Amino acid sequence: MAYTISPSPSVAVGPQYCVCKVELSVCGQNLLDRDVTSKSDPFCVLFMEVNGKWTEIDRTETAVNNLNPAFSKKFIIDYRFEEVQKLKFALFDQDKSSMQLYEHDFLGEFSCTLGSDLFGKSDPFLEFYKPGDDGKWMLVHRTEVIKYTLDPVWKPFTVPLISLCDGDVEKHIKVEFECINPKKQKKKRSYKNSGIIIVKSCKVNALYVNTCFSYRKLKYHQRLFLPGLHPWGLPVNVYASNGNPRDPTSLHYINPMGTNEYLSAIWAVGQIIQDYDTFLMNLPLTSTPPTLFALQYFILLIITDGVISDMDETRHAIVQASKLPMSIIIVGVGNADFAAMEFLDADNRMLRSYTGEEAMRDIVQFVPFREFRSAPKETLAKAVLAELPQQVVQYFKQQNLPPINSEPA
């Protein structure tokens, strides 16, 4: 958690006192995720020690579904020079509309004195933005916060070009870091800045064209939910939650006049993926010790109505699978609540298992079929397969296995 302090104009309360209003801005990073099917909904509570007891001063708004909140509500308190003012910032995950704090999950807290913060050092971090289609800036990466320093050195980090600038190296990006203090700028003509950012190293690592052709072989596996056998002869699982296949209201309904959502999704994705099952990668078998004769990349297609009864085990399995050469494609059919699937997709943060272990990479892509019911099958396939090339590259890059005889993109 980090916060900034903006002193307001002094307020005289007597000749023996020195008092001014102080505005505190609060933000958090990488908060605990207490919700099962979504992210935490954090809010911050400010306490001050009064007569030896912690007294609540104020609360921020709730940041819905957000593990990196920047609260708009400011805490305004009196700063008294002659006193030691002990503060405590406590974060909670809002679960109910109750005002009682014990009704909400505790996420963590930070204690300090107001004087040490006013005259302490900064907690700097960088934010990288790209322009969206609507003209607004979209946050694509935030560095870690380095506490109590005016000379931060951030750890090296990697941002895919597709995320940073949509693959266009000529496209503008924005980096936010408060190096200019407008108040000082107005007061002092000689003022230039409060610091500068030095980029010590920046490197663009080449990705490769024809990624799926450059790596050995993609194996397409399906988990099917249709009665009978799929035309390719794969076994089928039938779940009772979808109803009787003879009932027109069932998601499994065998429609003599057309296809149900399961079959439509299978054909839309399968007709594209199946082609890659026959292409060999041009990586020589002798390039790594030991020789990898049977190295393949697997794709698991799951078509589901959204019901998950073992979320903790599912999260753990996906985290373990992120170490393996595989991707998971999930297509949600029907009109169920797919919050659990969105949670597994984990586009905004890495998925963690119930043991706290973080996934090595993002391997899950979820798409709700209902958004493509009236669209061509090619549109669904494009959305479902959008992240697959990057996932393939990430795995082989982590294994230090670059493709051979491929032109860098």
Side-chain angles (χ1 to χ4, degrees), residues 329-379:
I329 296 172
I330 304 176
V331 179
V333 297
N335 296 312
D337 180 3
F338 290 121
M341 299 304 159
E342 297 285 0
F343 174 77
L344 295 177
D345 196 326
D347 279 337
N348 297 321
R349 80 281 181 262
M350 282 298 180
L351 188 70
R352 289 181 180 272
S353 73
Y354 60 83
T355 63
E357 182 180 2
E358 186 175 85
M360 292 287 292
R361 57 195 179 93
D362 177 17
I363 65 170
V364 177
Q365 172 73 336
F366 167 72
V367 172
F369 184 88
R370 60 188 174 219
E371 295 182 3
F372 299 88
R373 283 174 180 154
S374 301
K377 289 183 174 61
E378 294 80 8
T379 306

Side-chain angles (χ1 to χ4, degrees), residues 229-367:
L229 289 178
H230 185 268
W232 293 325
L234 298 179
V236 175
N237 292 326
V238 179
Y239 285 150
S241 62
N242 288 277
N244 191 317
R246 294 183 176 84
D247 184 352
T249 64
S250 168
L251 292 174
H252 280 155
Y253 178 56
I254 303 176
N255 188 351
M257 304 302 294
T259 60
N260 58 32
E261 292 190 1
Y262 283 111
L263 190 55
S264 297
I266 291 170
W267 280 112
V269 180
Q271 286 182 335
I272 292 180
I273 287 291
Q274 67 178 354
D275 293 337
Y276 293 95
D277 190 41
T278 61
F279 289 113
L280 295 177
M281 296 187 296
N282 55 14
L283 194 86
L285 295 176
T286 57
S287 63
T288 60
T291 302
L292 304 176
F293 288 101
L295 183 57
Q296 298 172 334
Y297 194 93
F298 293 85
I299 301 165
L300 172 64
L301 172 62
I302 301 176
I303 305 178
T304 177
D305 64 351
V307 179
I308 294 183
S309 57
D310 56 350
M311 174 57 81
D312 285 345
E313 289 76 8
T314 301
R315 289 166 59 187
H316 184 74
I318 292 176
V319 169
Q320 299 308 310
S322 69
K323 307 170 187 177
L324 305 175
M326 70 175 296
S327 291
I328 302 174
I329 296 172
I330 304 176
V331 179
V333 297
N335 296 312
D337 180 3
F338 290 121
M341 299 304 159
E342 297 285 0
F343 174 77
L344 295 177
D345 196 326
D347 279 337
N348 297 321
R349 80 281 181 262
M350 282 298 180
L351 188 70
R352 289 181 180 272
S353 73
Y354 60 83
T355 63
E357 182 180 2
E358 186 175 85
M360 292 287 292
R361 57 195 179 93
D362 177 17
I363 65 170
V364 177
Q365 172 73 336
F366 167 72
V367 172

